[in-house]
Amino acid sequence: NAGVTQTPKFQVLKTGQSMTLQCAQDMNHNSMYWYRQDPGMGLRLIYYSASEGTTDKGEVPNGYNVSRLNKREFSLRLESAAPSQTSVYFCASTRAGVTDTQYFGPGTRLTVL
Amino acid sequence: QKEVEQNSGPLSVPEGAIASLNCTYSDRGSQSFFWYRQYSGKSPELIMSIYSNGDKEDGRFTAQLNKASQYVSLLIRDSQPSDSATYLCAVDNAGNMLTFGGGTRLMVKP
C-alpha cells in the first residue's frame, strides 16, 4: 500500500516548456487535489476532482490544466512554464471530500528558469 | 477571498512546556477544521480534526474551536524536540475546498 505517489520528485524546466506532473493513489479515494506551496504561503489549491469524471478550479488555476484519468490517477499539466510557477507541488486525496483526512504525496520540486 | 491567518513564528518553547498555536479564519460558514504538521522537506500529515465548538483531545494534542470568535487553536503538552515542525491550520471553504494558513514554525529546545 503505497498511499499517494507523485512523479517526478524534482524537475527543472526552461520558460515556455511544458510538462505533466503525475499523481496516483491506491486507497480507493474518490477526491483528489493539486496544491502548490511557496515559502511562507502555506498550501494553495490549484485544481481538484471531487469524484472520477469531474474537475474544478481552485484558488490559483491560471497556467495549469488537469486530467482525472481514472479513479486512481490525477495529472497536472503546465502548458507553457513560467518562473512564477517555481514551487513545490503536492497531490492529495481523500475518501470523500474535504471533511475527511487529506493524504499527501511526497511532492514535486519544480524550478522554472 | 476567504482567509486563514496564522502567526508565522518561529514559536520557541523549552522541552516539556506547552506550545500554543493559534489560527483565525474569515468564513463564518466553515464547518471543518484541521491541523497538519509538516516537517522540513516533507509533506503535511494530519494530526487533529475538529468539527464542533469546544475541546478535542488526542494524546498530547488538544484542539480548541470557537466558531463565534472564528478561532481555532492547537495545544501541545509536554513538547518534545520531535514536535519541531511547521503546523498548518486548514479550514473548509464552501464545503468543497480547504484553505490553508501560512503555517506556524515551532521550535522545541532541549
Side-chain angles (χ1 to χ4, degrees):
Chain A
N1 189 337
V4 181
T5 57
Q6 291 183 237
T7 55
K9 286 188 169 52
F10 301 93
Q11 184 71 48
V12 178
L13 293 177
K14 294 180 179 178
T15 296
Q17 288 185 317
S18 62
M19 78 162 296
T20 300
L21 281 65
Q22 306 287 354
C23 173
Q25 51 88 11
D26 62 1
M27 297 175 282
N28 199 34
H29 284 174
N30 292 304
S31 304
M32 298 184 74
Y33 307 83
W34 275 107
Y35 294 93
R36 61 177 288 174
Q37 186 172 35
D38 302 300
M41 297 191 70
L43 292 156
R44 291 185 292 169
L45 183 65
I46 304 170
Y47 271 93
Y48 67 100
S49 172
S51 60
E52 186 179 358
T54 69
T55 60
D56 286 286
K57 294 178 180 179
E59 182 185 354
V60 288
N62 291 344
Y64 305 94
N65 285 299
V66 291
S67 295
R68 183 76 182 265
L69 304 170
N70 48 55
K71 191 171 185 179
R72 289 187 64 249
E73 298 172 287
F74 189 37
S75 63
L76 178 71
R77 182 159 179 85
L78 287 70
E79 291 291 352
S80 179
S84 61
Q85 294 178 305
T86 293
S87 190
V88 180
Y89 291 85
F90 288 102
C91 177
S93 70
T94 67
R95 183 176 52 86
V98 293
T99 58
D100 254 337
T101 302
Q102 298 218 353
Y103 293 87
F104 287 85
T108 295
R109 292 184 177 273
L110 175 66
T111 301
V112 183
L113 302 176
Chain B
Q1 182 71 16
K2 295 171 182 174
E3 296 179 344
V4 177
E5 300 286 344
Q6 295 180 255
N7 188 319
S8 61
L11 172 65
S12 182
V13 300
E15 184 175 356
I18 296 175
S20 178
L21 306 162
N22 303 315
C23 171
T24 59
Y25 60 95
S26 63
D27 182 8
R28 285 195 170 275
S30 296
Q31 298 294 322
S32 304
F33 306 86
F34 305 89
W35 284 98
Y36 284 83
R37 178 177 62 200
Q38 186 175 26
Y39 291 114
S40 180
K42 302 296 185 182
S43 55
E45 57 179 341
L46 181 74
I47 50 172
M48 289 288 285
S49 59
I50 187 166
Y51 303 98
S52 55
N53 279 329
D55 294 359
K56 179 182 178 183
E57 187 174 320
D58 184 0
R60 295 186 295 113
F61 299 96
T62 299
Q64 299 175 316
L65 176 62
N66 184 325
K67 289 185 179 178
S69 300
Q70 294 175 251
Y71 176 94
V72 58
S73 64
L74 179 70
L75 300 177
I76 306 174
R77 289 181 300 280
D78 189 24
S79 295
Q80 301 297 310
S82 59
D83 294 326
S84 298
T86 296
Y87 290 80
L88 301 168
C89 174
V91 177
D92 80 281
N93 178 345
N96 56 7
M97 294 187 278
L98 282 187
T99 298
F100 283 81
T104 298
R105 184 177 164 212
L106 174 66
M107 297 173 59
V108 180
K109 296 186 175 181

